Amino acid sequence: MSTTELLVMAAGLAGIVWVNWYFFVAGRAAATVRGSEVVITVDNGYSPATIRARAGVPLRIVFDRKDDSSCSEEVVFPDFGVRKFLPTGEKTTIEITPPKPGRYEFMCGMAMLRGTLIAEE
Ligand SMILES: [Cu+2]
């Protein structure tokens, strides 16, 4: 194998590692918040990516979008039939009530950025 081929291969591998880290590790290293209103910063990921709330209690989730990546322009809560556009530099509030204890995922429009709402008794 030539040096050029090796370099191309190494660059390709580095790219794969970075993409996996970016989507699967970076977006998940986040704290957990309790309360009836939480603010989630959207900046190439959700921070915090995990929120805890009470089942049966209305919850206000404020998405504060900082980035202008097309990836994060929409947030989707499939379990609640919610799909909302998040303008860059603005706060967008979504109100949902988790019907019962459990885990409810939320994600960007392409399901690459992910977060979890954990509803408790
Ligand atoms: Cu996306």
Side-chain angles (χ1 to χ4, degrees), residues 23 46 69-74 107-113:
F23 286 113
Y46 301 121
S69 148
S70 61
C71 183
S72 39
E73 70 186 12
E74 270 190 324
M107 59 207 69
C108 73
M110 315 146 198
M112 293 190 299
L113 309 179

Side-chain angles (χ1 to χ4, degrees), residues 5 50 78 89 107:
E5 283 173 327
T50 304
M107 59 207 69

Side-chain angles (χ1 to χ4, degrees), residues 21-88:
W21 174 84
Y22 186 85
F23 286 113
F24 297 109
V25 181
R28 296 199 176 181
T32 294
V33 176
R34 282 177 186 278
S36 59
E37 176 170 315
V38 295
V39 178
I40 295 180
T41 301
V42 182
D43 194 358
N44 293 303
Y46 301 121
S47 179
T50 304
I51 52 177
R52 285 176 189 273
R54 302 283 305 275
V57 177
L59 175 68
R60 290 165 56 85
I61 306 175
V62 181
F63 285 90
D64 185 5
R65 183 163 174 226
K66 308 283 193 198
D67 67 25
D68 59 0
S69 148
S70 61
C71 183
S72 39
E73 70 186 12
E74 270 190 324
V75 68
V76 184
F77 285 78
D79 300 301
F80 300 89
V82 171
R83 175 179 283 266
K84 199 114 182 197
F85 183 77
L86 308 175
T88 297

